[in-house]
Amino acid sequence: MDHPRGAADPYPPAVSEFVERFAADLVAAGFQRMAARVFACLAVSDEGALTSSELAERLRISPAAISGAVRYLAQIHMVSREREPGSRRERYRLHHDVWYEAMTQRDQYLRRWETTVRAGAEVVGEDSPAGRRLGETADFMAFLTEEMSGIMDRWHARRSVDGRPVEHGAER
């Protein structure tokens, strides 16, 4: 899908429609709208990386909108910025194994939420209706944390069997 510098990039309507559909699914799951569009656009590029001007052209949005979207995606560890060699232009790149990395980050949030919710249960009284509800929420967070570790291990094993090892923590 990526084309040499200066070559026309038709960005076929079917690809554009897919990007918007995928972005809508991400928005329904809680992503910011523009970040979802940028992420989907990067996902369909051959290199998984595009410049701000390439994103703006394909998505028909302003560079300012891209900047905010990339900032959000970087905060949630889904993209990184890189300089083009010999240029001041930045390219935005999807992280290798982006979903694995994103889910691994969620594990940290689950632990944090569990701790906070348990503290809330103590504050309102663990035997009160609110305390029981918060306690159950904390138990669920703990369960998800325990299960997530096993899920990630199984995914890693599956990828290794398929000949595509997960390279978490590596340079992207």
Side-chain angles (χ1 to χ4, degrees), residues 83-121:
R83 290 264 186 225
E84 289 186 341
S87 170
R88 291 177 44 193
R89 291 174 26 149
E90 288 186 332
R91 290 173 59 85
Y92 306 111
R93 178 173 299 283
L94 290 179
H95 286 176
H96 180 73
D97 291 316
V98 65
W99 292 110
Y100 179 92
E101 294 293 332
M103 295 308 291
T104 300
Q105 293 296 319
R106 295 292 174 243
D107 191 46
Q108 294 173 14
Y109 293 120
L110 289 172
R111 284 191 204 110
R112 185 169 155 186
W113 295 338
E114 176 193 353
T115 300
T116 300
V117 173
R118 283 201 195 287

Side-chain angles (χ1 to χ4, degrees), residues 23-109:
D25 288 347
L26 293 171
V27 168
F31 265 65
Q32 295 176 357
R33 182 176 183 276
M34 200 57 64
R37 293 182 72 215
V38 167
F39 179 84
C41 190
L42 288 169
V44 300
S45 71
D46 286 344
E47 291 183 39
L50 296 166
T51 65
S52 182
S53 62
E54 290 167 333
L55 285 163
E57 180 182 335
R58 291 176 186 200
L59 296 172
R60 294 180 170 83
I61 58 176
S62 73
I66 291 165
S67 178
V70 169
R71 188 172 31 259
Y72 171 79
L73 291 168
Q75 286 174 342
I76 62 172
H77 309 287
M78 297 190 84
V79 301
S80 57
R81 297 170 191 226
E82 59 187 36
R83 290 264 186 225
E84 289 186 341
S87 170
R88 291 177 44 193
R89 291 174 26 149
E90 288 186 332
R91 290 173 59 85
Y92 306 111
R93 178 173 299 283
L94 290 179
H95 286 176
H96 180 73
D97 291 316
V98 65
W99 292 110
Y100 179 92
E101 294 293 332
M103 295 308 291
T104 300
Q105 293 296 319
R106 295 292 174 243
D107 191 46
Q108 294 173 14
Y109 293 120

Side-chain angles (χ1 to χ4, degrees), residues 115-150:
T115 300
T116 300
V117 173
R118 283 201 195 287
E122 289 178 20
V123 168
V124 299
E126 293 175 358
D127 292 330
S128 71
R132 287 190 294 275
R133 186 172 47 253
L134 290 171
E136 185 174 337
T137 299
D139 290 344
F140 181 68
M141 297 295 175
F143 172 77
L144 286 177
T145 300
E146 293 165 11
E147 290 299 308
M148 191 62 68
S149 177

